[in-house]
Amino acid sequence: MAETTPIPRAQRKTISWLQKLWMALQTHYVYVILVLIWIISAIASPYFRMVPTYSNILTSAVPIALIGLAQTVVVISRGFDLSVGAVASMATAVASVAMVKGIIPSIILVLIIAVAIGAINGLGVTKLGINPFIMTLCMMFFLSGLNLLIRPSPGGYIPDNYKEVLLFQVGDFPLTAFLILVCTAIVGSILLQRRRLGREIYAVGGAPERARMSGINVDQTLIKTYIISAIASALGGLFIAARIGSGNAEAGAPYLFDSFTTVFMGGTLVTGGVGGYGGTLGAALIISSLGRILQFLGINIWNQFIAKGALLASVAGLQIYFARKGRQVE
Amino acid sequence: MGTLTLDSITKRFPGVEALKGISFVLDEGRIYGLVGENGAGKSTLVKILMGLFPPDEGSISMAEERLQIRDPHQARFLFGIDAVFQEHALIPQMSIMENVFLDQLDRFHDRGLLNYRRMVSEAREVIGKVGLDLDVNLPADAISATEKSLIEFSIALHRDPKFLILDEVTATMASDIVQDLFEIMKELKEAGKTIIFISHRLQEVLSICDEILVLKDGALQGSVDNTEKKDPVAIRKKIVLMMTGTEKGLHFPTRDTKESEAPVVLSLRNIRNTRLRDINVDVREGEIVALAGLRGQGQSMLLRAAAGMLAHFEGEISLRGELKRIRNPFNAVESGIFYVSDRRDDEELWLSHDVWLNISLGSISDRARLGFIRMKEDRGVIQEMVENLRIETPSLSKIVQQLSGGNRQKVVLGKYLLSKPRILLMDQPTIGLDVGAKAEIYALLRSLANEGIPTLAVLTDLEEVVNLPDRILVMHEGRITREFQGTEVDEEELVDSYYG
């Protein structure tokens, strides 16, 4: 093809480094909030100047971060996954029954079940056209029942060496938990930013019809999204099992709400196609720190909910502010 | 080899037959023009060829072999059919380079990770083919409509299709860019490719296409040979006639000569914003006034301004001599100014609800006492409206989606008539309607005008512009440039005036 005459540009659009910094700050403001929370707490209380507090925060952030990843991918695809908590519970229940036979086979079993759950969610959403909210709500109920069938009351057997590996500490530092967080961050970011599948999830969530016009297999992408979600939730559940040292059919339930809180606090938009895992991870650390702070201050559980609600509302307000600001820049 | 044959392609959507047995053959090394008014079925045809939905009847075959086109990916990579869609297909939140390679991202996996550096250089190369020089890291919604069209064109070029469909790619382009585009199209033609060029700009179609297919109301009216590119005036006339055509059975209500001294109902004074330039319009009692001209000269924007749907504009709007402050649609409705959108199904109707609710909801509080709707009274009122407008529906509880286009438009009018409008602002009132329904809507608008509800309407169909209104205001680049009296308009003079 011969060269054509270059088209005169009215205005070349480029991004200055200042705008880049501003954008980086916008996408990572959760970390600014996190550090601020830590500094304020450290000034307010000696308890927040001690290492064990932070190791505790890291450890309890692991399931929030994993289940947050599960929710992030689905929300980016313009969906919801209400079954994340139930899948995590399933993992604890199945582990507490199966680990007598062996740790690795049990983990594999849990993951196989998770893949099946994710596939069913994905098929329901795509092939049957059921709204993701309804489809995963059904899955949540279905699994809740199944979990109680497997593990009617909390208990069962989680091997000590399994717990020791996952909760391994060097001094006061929870090495395994830290490594899991780092791995989750790397895997989550690579999946969403540096792999074809991740980019297709953004495309499908950003504009489903256009993604179809562009030749993306939308159904297949969504099915994979729900499978990834279920796997991440199940991994979260496997960590919860080590922490509580038993199986519990309801252990994962509270994480459903935390997953939405972390996703939205982390800047992933409910409208799909915008966001990422970095924000979710920061928000998971905030949620985990908040739990510790409020617990230390002796604040009741209901006030913890109020605090979470208030924090999410203010972050949401901040996002709208940034978005308006962004439009003004244009 | 290399020919694409369409055989009696038919496509129905609820309440409308979008394509009625379309058949034609596309030879290689030719540029085909596909023209027709809005709603003639052009975009539906494109989507069928790209496998976005299957035809209800008919077949597509390439070199004697019947094709089952299941999705765009298959159309592109198996059959070599590619399209630049009228509605942009770029994902707005994603970068230009990712959009360029959206369906082949795995090509950029280096050791398991997307290699963005390689993607940048390859994407720059792809868009460079159409003369674009952009930061490919920018999100697709940060660039102009022309740039988007060019990028989509370059993506299609990059895939090297045998058949390329260009649906309104030039709509937003300046003429020098269009010329560049045509140069590329000519090269493709010489390389034996087939191009279907869809455009509302007839001069463009005439200057580039070898053969022009004319669609009207979902049917192929015929084709005009233009291989020689000679005598554009005559060919143009022929095409315009086929596009608008004197339809059998299309009847326009008679126009009485109006007293020019009839009282003014709606008066717009010095309406202006970034695109509208000091517009003055008076609509008098008993009148239907048309806003005509080429597409996108500010006609719809003017209507939206008068209906309070435009955030920023200056000027005065008065109704029967009384100055109104109209800053939002609620103000307009309160003053009795009712706007009817050309996007009937999206902006006027609750498609999945029944006739009753659709007509009733706008004025429902008039038939309520202490916050409770008096159902019996409501039902009676709606029933009466349905009968007056002769809406063909078996019952009030029929879902509007199952009605034909003409009946849908009557439902819309019924909804507003219950609110006692003083003037109607209608954007393409008969868009997508068949002949019979058009005639009914014309008659309805005429009788409303006679009963004291005049209409200011954006009209695009030439036949409509010539035969329906009492006065025609031609707009060009945000100004009213000509005015014609409806009964004494010369068709050729009118079309000439469109070009400023």
Side-chain angles (χ1 to χ4, degrees), chain A residues 123-140:
Chain A
L123 286 168
V125 168
T126 56
K127 303 296 178 199
L128 301 180
I130 302 173
N131 180 291
F133 198 93
I134 299 168
M135 183 64 220
T136 56
L137 182 72
C138 298
M139 183 54 81
M140 181 186 90

Side-chain angles (χ1 to χ4, degrees), chain A residues 217-297:
Chain A
N217 190 331
V218 174
D219 286 2
Q220 211 180 70
T221 305
L222 284 175
I223 292 168
K224 287 178 187 166
T225 307
Y226 283 92
I227 291 176
I228 292 168
S229 170
I231 291 174
S233 301
L235 290 172
L238 285 171
F239 192 83
I240 295 172
R243 281 200 88 199
I244 60 178
S246 62
N248 182 341
E250 273 143 18
Y255 290 95
L256 170 62
F257 296 108
D258 281 346
S259 76
F260 283 119
T261 316
T262 53
V263 167
F264 297 136
M265 199 184 281
T268 297
L269 298 188
V270 70
T271 43
V274 177
Y277 186 59
T280 306
L281 184 67
L285 288 166
I286 291 178
I287 296 287
S288 163
S289 308
L290 212 60
R292 202 54 44 199
I293 291 165
L294 299 172
Q295 191 185 29
F296 178 74
L297 294 175

Side-chain angles (χ1 to χ4, degrees), chain B residues 67-165:
Chain B
L67 309 182
Q68 296 284 348
I69 310 173
R70 278 200 302 274
D71 55 50
H73 193 265
Q74 207 194 23
R76 288 180 179 128
F77 292 98
L78 207 59
F79 305 130
I81 306 172
D82 212 327
V84 176
F85 296 99
Q86 182 178 12
E87 54 276 60
H88 293 292
L90 301 179
I91 312 283
Q93 304 93 332
M94 300 184 82
S95 66
I96 292 169
M97 60 173 168
E98 283 185 306
N99 270 297
V100 169
F101 296 112
L102 199 58
D103 60 352
Q104 39 189 320
L105 284 174
D106 41 359
R107 239 173 22 82
F108 295 91
H109 277 163
D110 280 354
R111 274 170 285 135
L113 295 181
L114 286 176
N115 185 337
Y116 282 114
R117 205 165 289 165
R118 190 150 61 85
M119 206 188 293
V120 167
S121 63
E122 289 194 29
R124 287 188 61 87
E125 202 176 306
V126 170
I127 67 168
K129 289 266 167 66
V130 294
L132 276 178
D133 180 19
L134 284 170
D135 178 357
V136 291
N137 282 299
L138 285 175
D141 62 358
I143 58 177
S144 71
T146 300
E147 287 166 338
K148 282 180 199 166
S149 298
L150 284 173
I151 287 173
E152 287 177 87
F153 181 60
S154 72
I155 298 171
L157 282 186
H158 170 68
R159 298 195 190 102
D160 193 24
K162 278 186 281 182
F163 297 88
L164 177 59
I165 307 163

Side-chain angles (χ1 to χ4, degrees), chain B residues 454-467:
Chain B
T455 299
L456 177 63
V458 175
L459 300 181
T460 51
D461 187 307
L462 197 58
E463 207 188 356
E464 228 171 74
V465 177
V466 172
N467 293 304

Side-chain angles (χ1 to χ4, degrees), chain A residues 90-100 150-151 155-158 241 246-248:
Chain A
M90 177 280 296
T92 72
V94 171
S96 73
V97 173
M99 279 203 177
V100 193
I150 301 169
R151 175 125 316 281
Y157 171 73
I158 301 293
S246 62
N248 182 341

